[in-house]
């Protein structure tokens, strides 16, 4: 009997304890805890029209060098990778035949000059006809031009660098017979580099018509020059190298249907970048987007309501609650989605935790913490 009484007392105490769990000390129901979420501000830098493209590095100034006359290659003065100055001699042909030709043209010129000078004196006295004088003058002028050409041909046996740069490739061996205009060296300038990307037509269609017209006038002062772009390399992802727009092709590539866009940058001092290397190019197209109040949000911020319509959860800092707002969405790019209407900019919307919210629910935005810089030796 005593044990049954003790069991009944324990059950009663448990029931009273469970009934008190949902009340505060004064008997009022306890408020539910605020759900932690992460938010983003509409219209900040995270919502810019940022796209990434594979890029290839090329030399801004480059040329295939060749002799203007043919002959036997007698001397190569540079090696691949050597830096050469503007006007320096980098190779020579055997000049023997050209020196012989110059001597012959010089003798012909000297004889023609003497005949012309003598005829000038005789024609005034009437000793020779005007016709003979004109013929001797023509022979003199022809011999003079042939002599000048022979001098030039002898000078052309020396191949000089047209600008300062590096020998990227040597295409012949010494003592070979080379033809006129046959490529001998490939020279690349080292003062500036180009980074080339291929722009798909889906992006071109988003630009305002005025921007395309401006491109036809001057790329450097057009609306397209307002885009911000930078390049990163795999071995140095922490370095963002600013790029300057240089050229925009308005004719699509026949095979890929893309438009070539060329940026330029100075060679970085921290590491070596050579033509032919690859880079990742990030471009912010925000200045060229058509339309107003178009924002980009994390894709997880846009949810579907009961009717499968798109909505976002807007956080009210005064009440600490969220409310649903219908939006119209556009393109999806990587982990971001385009919001065409429903937002004005400046709103704070839930980016992480949106699937678990309901109208008027209390939430607690988590602080936006900066990631610590890794210490030396940390992986």
């Amino acid at each position: 009997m005593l044990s049954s009484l003790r069991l009944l007392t324990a059950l009663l105490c448990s029931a009273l304890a469970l009934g008190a769990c949902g009340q505060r000390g004064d008997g009022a129901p306890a408020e539910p805890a605020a759900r932690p979420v992460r938010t983003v501000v509409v219209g900040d830098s995270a919502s810019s029209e940022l796209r990434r493209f594979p890029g290839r590095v090329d030399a801004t100034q480059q040329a295939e060098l060749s002799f203007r006359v043919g002959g036997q290659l007698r001397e190569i003065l540079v090696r691949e990778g050597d830096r050469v100055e503007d006007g320096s001699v980098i190779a020579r042909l055997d000049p023997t035949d050209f020196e012989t030709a110059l001597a012959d043209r010089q003798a012909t010129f000297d004889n023609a000059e003497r005949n012309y000078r003598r005829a000038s004196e005789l024609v005034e006295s009437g000793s020779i006809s005007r016709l003979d004088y004109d013929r001797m003058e023509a022979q003199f002028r022809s011999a003079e031009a042939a002599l000048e050409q022979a001098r030039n041909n002898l000078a052309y046996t020396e191949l000089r660098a047209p600008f300062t740069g590096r020998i990227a490739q040597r295409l012949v061996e010494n003592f070979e017979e080379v033809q006129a205009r046959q490529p001998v060296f490939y020279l690349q300038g080292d003062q500036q580099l180009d980074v080339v990307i291929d722009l798909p037509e889906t992006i071109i269609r988003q630009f305002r018509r005025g921007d395309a017209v401006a491109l036809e006038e001057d790329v450097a002062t057009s609306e397209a020059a307002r885009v911000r772009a930078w390049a990163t390399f795999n071995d140095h992802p922490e370095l963002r190298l600013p790029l300057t727009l240089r050229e925009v092709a308005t004719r699509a590539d026949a095979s890929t249907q893309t438009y070539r866009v060329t940026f330029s940058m100075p060679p970085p001092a921290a590491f070596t970048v050579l033509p032919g290397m690859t880079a990742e190019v990030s471009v912010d197209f925000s200045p060229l987007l058509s339309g107003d109040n178009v924002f980009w949000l994390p894709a997880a911020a846009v949810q579907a309501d009961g009717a499968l319509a798109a909505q976002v959860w807007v956080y009210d800092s005064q009440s600490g609650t969220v409310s649903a707002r219908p939006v119209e969405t556009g393109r999806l790019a990587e982990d971001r989605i385009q919001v065409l209407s429903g937002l004005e900019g400046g709103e704070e919307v839930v980016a992480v935790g949106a699937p678990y919210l309901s109208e008027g629910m209390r939430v607690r935005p988590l602080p936006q913490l900066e990631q610590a810089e890794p210490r030396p030796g940390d992986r």
Side-chain angles (χ1 to χ4, degrees):
M1 181 66 180
L2 183 58
S3 60
S4 298
L5 181 59
R6 289 177 178 174
L7 179 60
L8 181 60
T9 303
L11 292 176
L12 182 60
C13 292
S14 299
L16 291 175
L18 291 175
C21 291
Q23 297 181 349
R24 299 184 304 187
D26 56 0
E31 294 183 359
R35 176 179 289 275
V37 295
R38 288 198 181 275
T39 62
V40 295
V41 178
V42 178
D44 64 2
S45 60
S47 61
S48 61
E49 175 60 19
L50 184 65
R51 301 294 300 274
R52 295 178 177 86
F53 305 91
R56 57 189 180 276
V57 180
D58 205 351
T60 301
Q61 197 173 23
Q62 52 189 325
E64 282 186 345
L65 305 185
S66 60
F67 288 98
R68 300 181 65 173
V69 294
Q72 186 185 46
L73 190 59
R74 190 184 70 175
E75 192 175 10
I76 296 179
L77 303 176
V78 294
R79 296 174 295 182
E80 293 181 343
D82 286 353
R83 191 175 189 272
V84 296
E85 298 295 331
D86 183 10
S88 60
V89 179
I90 58 179
R92 290 189 178 95
L93 294 176
D94 185 352
T96 303
D97 294 342
F98 299 95
E99 291 172 347
T100 302
L102 176 60
D104 178 69
R105 299 295 187 276
Q106 183 69 55
T108 303
F109 170 78
D110 293 342
N111 182 61
E113 184 181 27
R114 286 192 298 269
N115 293 337
Y116 172 66
R117 302 302 179 196
R118 191 179 302 113
S120 299
E121 299 173 358
L122 296 177
V123 72
E124 294 178 0
S125 61
S127 300
I128 61 173
S129 65
R130 174 62 62 176
L131 180 61
D132 291 336
Y133 172 77
D134 292 341
R135 185 176 64 254
M136 292 181 183
E137 183 181 14
Q139 291 174 351
F140 168 71
R141 302 299 180 192
S142 178
E144 185 179 32
L147 176 61
E148 184 65 23
Q149 182 63 52
R151 289 172 177 167
N152 290 338
N153 289 342
L154 180 60
Y156 293 155
T157 59
E158 291 186 340
L159 184 60
R160 298 178 179 270
F163 53 85
T164 300
R166 291 190 180 277
I167 302 297
Q169 188 177 11
R170 176 172 51 83
L171 304 173
V172 296
E173 297 292 339
N174 203 13
F175 306 112
E176 283 188 17
E177 287 286 341
V178 297
Q179 303 297 320
R181 314 296 180 180
Q182 176 184 342
V184 176
F185 294 103
Y186 190 77
L187 179 65
Q188 294 176 335
D190 58 358
Q191 304 300 313
Q192 195 174 30
L193 296 173
D194 283 350
V195 181
V196 183
I197 64 174
D198 296 318
L199 205 62
E201 61 182 35
T202 55
I203 294 181
I204 297 292
R205 294 197 194 101
Q206 300 178 61
F207 298 162
R208 294 186 292 269
R209 176 173 170 80
D211 299 333
V213 172
L215 288 178
E216 298 176 1
E217 300 173 357
D218 188 357
V219 173
T221 58
S222 66
E223 288 292 319
R226 295 171 50 198
V227 301
R228 296 184 301 111
W230 57 89
T232 56
F233 294 84
N234 291 335
D235 295 340
H236 300 271
E238 73 284 357
L239 295 180
R240 293 172 36 165
L241 306 177
L243 301 176
T244 302
L245 182 65
R246 195 170 76 88
E247 290 181 348
V248 178
T250 56
R251 181 179 180 181
D253 184 89
S255 57
T256 62
Q257 289 301 305
T258 57
Y259 296 83
R260 187 180 67 255
V261 179
T262 304
F263 297 92
S264 62
M265 71 172 188
F271 58 98
T272 301
V273 176
L274 298 176
M277 293 184 176
T278 59
E280 181 182 80
V281 179
S282 301
V283 186
D284 184 2
F285 290 105
S286 298
L288 300 184
L289 287 181
S290 57
D292 298 326
N293 296 334
V294 176
F295 306 103
W296 285 86
L297 293 177
V302 179
Q303 301 294 316
D305 60 10
L308 298 182
Q311 66 176 16
V312 297
W313 293 101
V314 180
Y315 172 69
D316 184 359
S317 59
Q318 298 295 329
S319 62
T321 60
V322 293
S323 58
R325 181 178 299 182
V327 294
E328 180 185 356
T329 58
R331 296 187 301 108
L332 181 66
E334 297 180 355
D335 59 345
R336 297 170 300 112
I337 191 169
Q338 190 180 40
V339 177
L340 304 177
S341 63
L343 298 174
E344 297 180 358
E347 299 97 333
E348 190 173 0
V349 301
V350 177
V352 178
Y356 309 102
L357 303 181
S358 60
E359 188 70 26
M361 177 181 288
R362 294 182 58 83
V363 298
R364 176 171 54 88
L366 296 175
Q368 303 292 336
L369 299 178
E370 295 288 343
Q371 185 175 0
E373 290 290 336
R375 294 174 298 180
D378 290 350
R379 296 184 62 85

